[in-house]
Structures are given as structure tokens and as C-alpha cells.
Amino acid sequence: MKRPEARVHVATGRTVPRWALGGAAALAAVVAAACTSPAPAMWWVLAPLVALAATGRGVGVAPVVAALVLACAVAAPPGPAMLGVSVGLPVFLYATWLGRTAGRARVELAVLASTARPLLVLAGAGSALVGAALLVPVADRGWWGLAAPLALVGLVIVVVPRAWWPTRR
Amino acid sequence: MTSRSAAGWHPSELVGWLLLTGLVAIVLGVVARRPDVVALAAPLLGWAALARVPDGPPATAAEDPATMVVDTGLVSVDIELRGTPHGAVKLGAGASGARTDTVLVDLGATGSRRVSVSGPGVRTGPRRLFTLDLQSVAPALEAISGTSHVPAPTVLVRPRAWPLGEVPLPTSLHGLTGAHSSRRPGQGGDLRDVHVFGPGDRLRGIDWRTTARRSPDLDEIYVRRTHATADALVMLVLDSRDDVGPDPATWLGGEPPRADDPTSLDVARNAAASLAKAYLDGGDRVGLTDLGRERAPISPVGGGRALRRIVQTLAVARPDPHRIARVRAPRLPAGALVVILSTFLDDDAARVARSWRGAGHRVVAVDVLPPVRTGGLSADQRLAWRIVARERADRLQQMRAEGVELFAWTDGGDPAVHLRLLARAGRRGGRTRTVGAGA
């Protein structure tokens, strides 16, 4: 009879199961795609790619997923659903990269709390920006309608509250 | 306190992803004249722009010196991690023969974190318990460090003393007081006889009923005399020359025994500590000598300090590769009970046990060889083990024939039962006799 293998244990705070990270990445990407593309076909394309990226092994496909989501966003008519894309896309990239960094490691819940906070602030600012951009009538204002959100992007990058960014304190 | 640093920082590929995705969003948005798509780039580019490789060094790990001496069982060592505030450390902890546990732990605002690493603790003595692999992660995942391997710290794992109950006594008892009843008359507990009152007898010892019955006119007064108490001298003899596990394939040292497999020396350490505690708790004096070392033995003494000293000596005992073969058996105090703990894989330990028995000591031999697993052995190894086992069985049989009392500590039974049977056999055989003043 094979004996159970002895194992070392590191006592930490509560940890997140690995499937939860993968699930978060998959959910974020599918939500982002679903916000722009009502066609279920896109979900079928995304699902295996997301699953691959979420495991950390096929993390190289994450940019492909991001590009697909962006393609969906361009193809879809402007609307409030873009707010979901603005949050879902960064969250997907975050969860995928965290899954790759962790590998087979258990991830402490506190790591999520500390590393995701600046990202969520940025995603919130991005959503606000997208919301503002949706109000810009580009057809009426021409290229100025594009210049305004571009300037806002730069503003967000510079003005995002630095107190929220952990390395800039 | 030892401290090791992880390898240097390098930016993660995430920053490249963010830049690429953000720029693609801007280009698509401009081409499609969609400001909302352009705005999608804001969080991505913001994340990439704020990402910096931390200035400070990557995480370091330091063991807490307070936990460098631990007790056997589930062994736990505290590790202090220090690194970038709000960062994380990927910590992989492993041990020989055990599965590694890897955790991504948060360092918090202080950049410092104490974690407890625990693992199987059936092994004792100086041991390299855990190896640590460290990889630092920057606060927003924008940079990671290389993986650094931290050698396992040496931790002294002390043997554990298990409760044993009744234990065998030597053929002779020593001293003027103690926990055991001797044959010498004196102030003790058990009735020895009723005798005519004489000089030195205490008035409170007068037996008035016997006096009234035997001497109604009080010509003589009778007193009840008791046996004096005495203590036992016990010498524990550890054979630290062998440290073999249950798998004979590991005996040549090519591969270490599994971390959850106690070796013969682990069994011997635990057995000796248990016996020492049992005798010392009973008020006896216990000494320790090591067949594998040339240093002076611990003389038989009593008390808690003696137990601590014996346990410490047991914990640091290990095979000495430069040992010179003993020519003659170590000298032991007269009348001492000898408990020799050995695998008896060669003739030396059996020879000294027989010589002590021949000198009149009561000798209890404790076989500490763990139950051997022969399942995974090759045909040659199995044949070699059969030869060794046969020679060993002959050796043990010869010891029994010469009066050495023998039992195996790890035969699946309770060692306390074996010891109780030996203790009762000693009483039935009338082994206890008094040696000392007034005997």
C-alpha cells in the first residue's frame, strides 16, 4: 500500500484557490466580450483562450484575448456596455498575470487585496473616462472629439492619485 | 540570525502587454473615430506608466534563532521575510522526502512578514529541515526578481520522552534513600520484621499489640522494622554508530531516508529519552554513554537537570565517520542496570552487552532497528538483506542465551508493555538485593 506523501506546510493567512484566479480571469474576459458582442460565437472563441491563459501555462495568448476584446469593442456600437469592457480588460490582464506569477503556488488573499487596489483605481478612472468619451459627439466636433479623450488619457496617467500607487508613496 | 537575499529585480512582461494593448486601443479608436475605445487605453497605459522596478533589494529570509531548537513531532520553524512594502514574496518551502508547499504571501505596508513553516518531525538530532525558494513580486506585479535558493538551516530536533510506566530495576540498589524498597533495614515503607527494641530504634516504631502478646509483663518491647529505600543506578548506552532507516537501499548513504521515516538513531534517541525520564521521575540516577564516541560518559545523577543534559546529548549524537573501533567495553558503575540501545547490525554492541552481563550487570538490550521494508529492493539487495538479517538474528539469539534481556522498541507493540514484563520478571527472579551500608 502506498503511504501518503509527507508534505511541508507554510502557515499563512487565507489563500485563494488556483481555480478562483483562473475563474476571475475567464469571467472578466467573457464579461468584457459579452458587453460588446452579443454574438455567442465570440464567447466560444474566447472561452478556450481564456481558459488557457488562466492556467498560467498558455499565458502568451492573453494579448490575443485582449486584441479580440478590443476588436469586439470597435465592432460594437458606442454605448454604456463599454464601461464593462473598461473594467473587464484590465481585470483579465491582472488575473492572468497574477496566475502566471503564482504558478502552482497558493495565493494569499492579502496579496489580492494589496496588488489589485491600484489596478481597480485605474480601472475606475478608466470607466469614468469612457463614460465621458461616450458623451463626446465626434461626428459634430471632428478630430477635437478624439483629441479630448486622448488628452484625458494622459491626464489620468499623470493625475491618477499617486497616493493609491504603492511604489510612489 | 542567517539572512539570504533573492536575486535582482527585472521588469515583468506585463508592462509590455499593457503598453501593446493600450496602443492598439488608441490606434483602433483613432481609426474608427471612437473616443470611447481610445479611453479604454487609459487604465492600461496608466498602469504601465506607473510601473517601476522597486529601488530596494528583493526579499530576504531570516530564520528566528528562537526556533532553532525544536521538539520532535510536527516541527515548525519561524521565518521572517523582508522586502518591498506592499510587495509579495513567492515562498516555496520543501524538505527532503516531502512535498513542497509554495505560497504567494503579502508583505504588507511594513514590508515585513513572519510565516511559520512546518513539516514532518519524526526525525531527531541536528537536521537541515527546510529549503526555501524566494521570488519577490513588486507591489503591482510590474517587476519580479529571480528565484534564489536558500539553504536549509540546521535545526536541532530534540527527542521526545514518552511515558513508560513501570521499568525494570538493576540487580542491586544503591544509596540510603530512594524510590525502591531495599533489603536493608531502615526508615522505609514495607514491613521487614518485628524485632526486640534495641539501641537506635524509634519509640514511634513500638508495636504495642505484639509486645502485649509476647511479653505481657513488659520484659521486652517489640518494634516494627521496615525496609530502607534505595535508588537504582541506570546506565543508558547509546550506539550512535548506525543511523539506518527502514529502507535498506538507503543504508549505503546514496540517497537519504524519507523525511517521515524515523531512522534507528531517531528511535534510539526517543527510546533513551523516554527511559531516562521514566527512571529520573522515579527518583533514580541515570547516566549515559555513547558507544560511538570516545568522550567521557555522563555519570549517573538524578533530577530534572540530568534529564535535560541527557536529552541534549542524545539530540547531538550522530555517527562519527572518524571513530576508532573500541577495544574494550566502557566501564560502568557497579550494580548499574545497563540499557543498551543498538541495531546490533555488527558484533561490537552485542559483544559489550555480553561482557557487561558476564560482569554481573543486569543488561537490557533494546533493538532500535526500524521495521525493514523489503518491497522495493532488487534481487541483490534482498539477498544482502537476508544475509545481514540472518547474522543479526544469530547475534540476538546468542545475547539471549547469555542472559541479556532483549526486546524491540519498534516491533509494533507498546514498549511500555515490554518494559513492564521485564520489570515483573526481575521481581520474580529475586533480582533485587541490597548493596550498601548496613546491608
Side-chain angles (χ1 to χ4, degrees), chain B residues 123-404:
Chain B
R123 305 289 306 278
T124 56
R127 299 206 50 222
R128 290 189 172 276
L129 281 179
F130 305 115
T131 55
L132 303 176
D133 289 322
L134 293 181
Q135 188 176 26
S136 299
V137 181
L141 310 179
E142 64 267 36
I144 57 174
S145 73
T147 303
S148 68
H149 180 75
V150 180
T154 300
V155 177
L156 186 64
V157 184
R158 289 180 297 215
R160 176 176 287 185
W162 302 96
L164 291 178
E166 198 174 1
V167 284
L169 293 177
T171 53
S172 308
L173 295 175
H174 286 255
L176 299 176
T177 186
H180 314 293
S181 181
S182 72
R183 289 191 173 181
R184 176 169 47 83
Q187 295 300 319
D190 297 341
L191 177 66
R192 182 173 189 263
D193 60 5
V194 178
H195 198 265
V196 176
F197 186 88
D201 288 336
R202 304 183 68 175
L203 292 176
R204 64 189 302 177
I206 296 174
D207 187 344
W208 290 110
R209 289 188 179 179
T210 306
T211 301
R213 189 165 58 247
R214 292 195 175 181
S215 177
D217 51 357
L218 295 181
D219 292 335
E220 292 177 325
I221 297 176
Y222 289 86
V223 292
R224 294 166 64 88
R225 299 197 304 184
T226 56
H227 287 293
T229 56
D231 61 357
L233 277 184
V234 180
M235 278 304 292
L236 302 175
V237 181
L238 178 73
D239 183 3
S240 68
R241 297 170 307 144
D242 292 328
D243 189 11
V244 293
D247 185 0
T250 65
W251 289 6
L252 284 178
E255 56 179 312
R258 283 175 49 149
D260 57 340
D261 271 342
T263 63
S264 61
L265 196 51
D266 299 322
V267 176
R269 288 191 188 109
N270 287 326
S274 305
L275 287 163
K277 185 174 190 315
Y279 283 109
L280 290 169
D281 286 349
D284 298 319
R285 286 178 285 166
V286 181
L288 174 69
T289 188
D290 187 348
L291 283 183
R293 298 275 170 171
E294 294 295 331
R295 59 185 170 214
I298 297 177
S299 301
V301 286
R305 183 177 293 182
L307 179 62
R308 287 192 293 275
R309 188 179 174 197
I310 287 172
V311 167
Q312 182 69 18
T313 306
L314 289 169
V316 298
R318 57 179 167 178
D320 181 4
H322 307 297
R323 192 190 73 89
I324 302 170
R326 277 186 183 276
V327 177
R328 64 180 73 157
R331 294 188 62 184
L332 302 180
L337 167 71
V338 182
V339 182
I340 180 168
L341 305 107
S342 175
T343 58
F344 301 106
L345 286 172
D346 62 12
D347 283 329
D348 284 1
R351 180 175 53 80
V352 295
R354 293 201 309 272
S355 71
W356 282 323
R357 180 70 192 121
H361 291 281
R362 185 181 183 189
V363 181
V364 174
V366 180
D367 178 9
V368 293
L369 184 68
V372 173
R373 288 197 301 266
T374 57
L377 297 182
S378 64
D380 292 345
Q381 289 171 332
R382 192 168 290 129
L383 176 63
W385 161 243
R386 284 176 60 189
I387 294 171
V388 169
R390 175 60 59 192
E391 289 178 346
R392 183 171 171 273
D394 292 344
R395 205 171 288 128
L396 298 179
Q397 183 59 35
Q398 188 179 1
M399 287 169 58
R400 279 198 193 94
E402 296 191 20
V404 175

Side-chain angles (χ1 to χ4, degrees), chain B residues 163-168 407-409 411 413-425:
Chain B
L164 291 178
E166 198 174 1
V167 284
F407 75 95
W409 194 270
D411 65 349
D414 186 357
V417 175
H418 291 295
L419 290 166
R420 194 179 308 128
L421 291 174
L422 287 177
R424 291 176 183 174

Side-chain angles (χ1 to χ4, degrees), chain A residues 3 6-11 73-74 76 82 100-102 105-106 108 111 114-115 119 138 143 149-150 165 168, chain B residues 12-13 33-36 38 42 47 50 52 90 98-99 101-106 113 116 118 139 141 258 261:
Chain A
R3 293 189 311 165
R7 63 173 302 171
V8 175
H9 179 71
V10 180
V74 173
M82 292 298 288
R100 177 179 182 177
T101 304
R106 297 181 286 129
E108 204 173 19
V111 172
S114 66
T115 57
L119 166 72
V138 178
W143 285 102
L150 278 173
W165 198 260
R168 295 293 183 91
Chain B
S12 71
E13 299 167 19
R33 300 176 69 85
R34 290 279 300 276
D36 53 334
V38 174
W47 192 356
L50 291 172
R52 289 283 186 279
K90 188 176 173 184
R99 203 168 62 189
D101 188 18
T102 310
V103 191
L104 194 61
V105 294
D106 180 45
R113 178 73 184 275
S116 179
S118 58
L141 310 179
R258 283 175 49 149
D261 271 342

Side-chain angles (χ1 to χ4, degrees), chain A residues 64-132:
Chain A
V64 179
V65 175
L68 283 172
V69 171
L70 285 177
C72 295
V74 173
M82 292 298 288
L83 297 176
V85 184
S86 66
V87 175
L89 197 56
V91 168
F92 164 72
L93 289 172
Y94 166 80
T96 303
W97 187 254
L98 184 61
R100 177 179 182 177
T101 304
R104 292 182 171 276
R106 297 181 286 129
V107 179
E108 204 173 19
L109 200 58
V111 172
L112 286 181
S114 66
T115 57
R117 190 182 59 179
L119 166 72
L120 292 177
V121 172
L122 278 175
S127 297
L129 197 55
V130 168

